[in-house]
Amino acid sequence: MMAGLLLARAGIRVTVLEKHGDFLRDFRGDTVHPSTLRLLDEIGLGERFAALPQRRLARMHMVIGGKTVLAADFGRLPGRHRHIAMVPQWDFLDLLAEAGADEPTFTLRMGAEFTGLVEESGRVTGVEYRTADGAEHRVRTDLVLACDGRDSAVRAAAGLRQRMIEVPMDVWWIRVPARPGDRHDGTVFARFDAGRAAVTLDRGDYYQTSFLIPKGADERLRANGIEWLRAQFAQLFGWDAQVLNGIRDWDDVKLLEVTMGRLPRWYTDGVLCLGDAAHTMSPVGGVGVNLAVQDAVAAARILAAPLRRGPVPARTLARVQRRRLLPTVATQQSQRGEHAMLLEPSMDGTLSEVPGMLRVIDRFPVLAGVTAYIGGLGLRQEHAPEFARRAGR
């Protein structure tokens, strides 16, 4: 959506295909980081975004073996955005769709499911898709941007394969109702002890909570019964029966099968992968959507002028990958480090004390600003090209 909006503002004719009839998906890309908030200001959508219902998270605390440490403090960041905005992704996407509708060259087709690529003389020249009524359609294009996530159908159709990175966990997502007046005041709480790990985000009337489980353990652990999970949360967060009874049964617990990987080459003739389609991220830090937005900005800036001339040569698509490779690799390495330092020892029961790095960050609070900068702004920040900037409204 972001790539389409920015390219449309450059005068490029853009068609965005969305498989579903609406954007209503839960637990998807709700953590909007300062890097994205700055970008929204640059393209004139900052005020409209700020008006959306949201919670603002300013600090990341971890409770490890009963000891509380400060892991990140976004209040120390430079600029006006010193927080993570927790906004339902459907509201964010609706905002981008409304902005796109203002551009005469932007078209959004909902309920349009990608079914295949069209190739001529070894180059992708279009896509085929199916609408909700079962009708088959085809659209010709100078470039296909694959922005369809970790299980990208476009990536598979283009014959591109990720190199996978081993991960130790899957994640259960649960909405846990909050009691009136029960607030964490903009804090993310993560709790780790021997055998358990969970993170909860204050969303106002509920806690968006993730519970980490060993890779592939979903079926085995669900056999314990829902009371077992309630007991885990009671021990981790001190929630009472009034809160925990809001987890009615296992239907309230959604499984995210965590994968991590990266394409050696993000493109082929006529196709460029962005976001999770190019580099599937761990959910650690909630960086995935923000890294994808940064990819979109870089792609729009690099590709706008070539697209005015027609099909984009592969060497130009390679420039996008080169631009975005460093922050992608650095982020995945950081996530792998957190997996090894904290998540895996917690789940396998060997976590006995606060890791040394976190003890140092907690002792010197300025370092919590450094971790917030790395997670919230990241390396090689992208800024909106001049053709995409608008006055705020």
Side-chain angles (χ1 to χ4, degrees):
M1 290 290 286
M2 182 65 75
L5 171 61
L6 300 186
L7 287 170
R9 287 185 172 184
I12 307 299
R13 191 156 60 92
V14 175
T15 300
V16 178
L17 303 181
E18 163 58 43
K19 178 172 67 173
H20 300 89
D22 55 44
F23 295 124
L24 293 175
R25 259 85 71 204
D26 219 352
F27 306 132
R28 302 286 182 90
D30 290 352
T31 49
V32 182
H33 286 198
S35 59
T36 303
L37 298 175
R38 290 182 177 186
L39 174 68
L40 290 169
D41 285 345
E42 292 171 357
I43 62 176
L45 299 179
E47 293 180 15
R48 290 163 63 181
F49 182 87
L52 296 175
Q54 60 188 266
R55 301 289 292 177
R56 294 186 173 187
L57 306 175
R59 293 171 301 280
M60 173 69 176
H61 282 111
M62 294 183 178
V63 182
I64 302 172
K67 179 175 175 55
T68 300
V69 296
L70 178 63
D73 184 356
F74 293 90
R76 293 178 175 271
L77 292 180
R80 61 188 294 260
H81 297 297
R82 300 178 180 180
H83 63 275
I84 292 175
M86 296 293 299
V87 174
Q89 193 181 81
W90 57 81
D91 286 338
F92 189 9
L93 290 171
D94 281 339
L95 174 64
L96 296 180
E98 291 167 6
D102 293 336
E103 306 300 324
T105 58
F106 180 94
T107 300
L108 171 61
R109 296 181 182 171
M110 304 295 291
E113 181 177 7
F114 168 85
T115 56
L117 296 170
V118 179
E119 295 187 33
E120 297 176 10
S121 303
R123 176 183 176 81
V124 173
T125 58
V127 298
E128 296 174 334
Y129 67 94
R130 181 184 301 112
T131 49
D133 60 3
E136 303 286 345
H137 303 267
R138 176 178 291 193
V139 58
R140 295 186 60 85
T141 178
D142 290 326
L143 178 64
V144 177
L145 294 179
C147 305
D148 52 339
R150 62 179 55 235
D151 299 316
S152 173
V154 180
R155 180 182 67 207
L160 299 172
R161 299 289 182 270
Q162 287 194 345
R163 291 176 180 166
M164 304 310 294
I165 299 169
E166 186 175 356
V167 294
M169 79 289 189
D170 291 322
V171 176
W172 284 338
W173 292 107
I174 311 102
R175 281 175 174 249
V176 181
R179 294 168 300 192
D182 190 7
R183 298 289 181 267
H184 285 157
D185 298 325
T187 298
V188 185
F189 271 99
R191 294 183 182 253
F192 305 92
D193 61 21
R196 287 190 297 260
V199 180
T200 189
L201 310 176
D202 177 12
R203 299 302 298 272
D205 59 351
Y206 71 95
Y207 297 118
Q208 180 173 316
T209 306
S210 59
F211 187 85
L212 278 62
I213 61 174
K215 189 69 182 168
D218 175 67
E219 184 176 357
R220 172 173 61 84
L221 292 179
R222 286 179 187 256
N224 289 322
I226 199 65
E227 287 296 337
W228 172 84
L229 181 59
R230 291 174 182 158
Q232 304 305 307
F233 285 143
Q235 293 173 29
L236 283 167
F237 296 112
W239 289 331
D240 60 22
Q242 178 184 350
V243 172
L244 294 173
N245 285 338
I247 310 174
R248 296 164 299 179
D249 52 40
W250 283 110
D251 288 340
D252 290 336
V253 181
K254 311 304 180 185
L255 173 67
L256 171 64
E257 296 186 60
V258 177
T259 59
M260 217 176 152
R262 187 169 65 248
L263 286 174
R265 185 162 57 93
W266 298 12
Y267 58 91
T268 187
D269 278 347
V271 176
L272 173 65
C273 296
L274 299 176
D276 268 2
H279 44 75
T280 303
M281 311 303 290
S282 163
V284 166
V287 297
V289 65
N290 302 279
L291 205 63
V293 166
Q294 296 283 296
D295 287 356
V297 178
R301 187 181 62 253
I302 291 170
L303 299 176
L307 279 168
R308 292 190 188 101
R309 298 189 290 269
V312 180
R315 65 179 180 275
T316 304
L317 303 180
R319 289 179 55 201
V320 179
Q321 178 175 347
R322 288 196 300 270
R323 171 71 187 179
R324 297 303 305 156
L325 189 59
L326 173 62
T328 297
V329 173
T331 302
Q332 288 185 326
Q333 286 297 103
S334 175
Q335 291 181 325
R336 294 177 71 184
E338 189 164 342
H339 293 172
M341 174 184 71
L342 193 58
L343 305 188
E344 194 165 7
S346 177
M347 287 185 296
D348 67 17
T350 61
L351 183 68
S352 58
E353 61 180 0
V354 178
M357 181 181 298
L358 291 174
R359 289 201 301 270
V360 172
I361 293 170
D362 188 56
R363 183 177 178 184
F364 301 100
V366 68
L367 295 179
V370 175
T371 57
Y373 187 95
I374 294 171
L377 294 173
L379 300 176
R380 193 167 285 171
Q381 297 169 47
E382 305 292 347
H383 293 279
E386 288 301 322
F387 60 73
R389 296 184 179 232
R390 300 287 188 274
R393 55 192 176 92

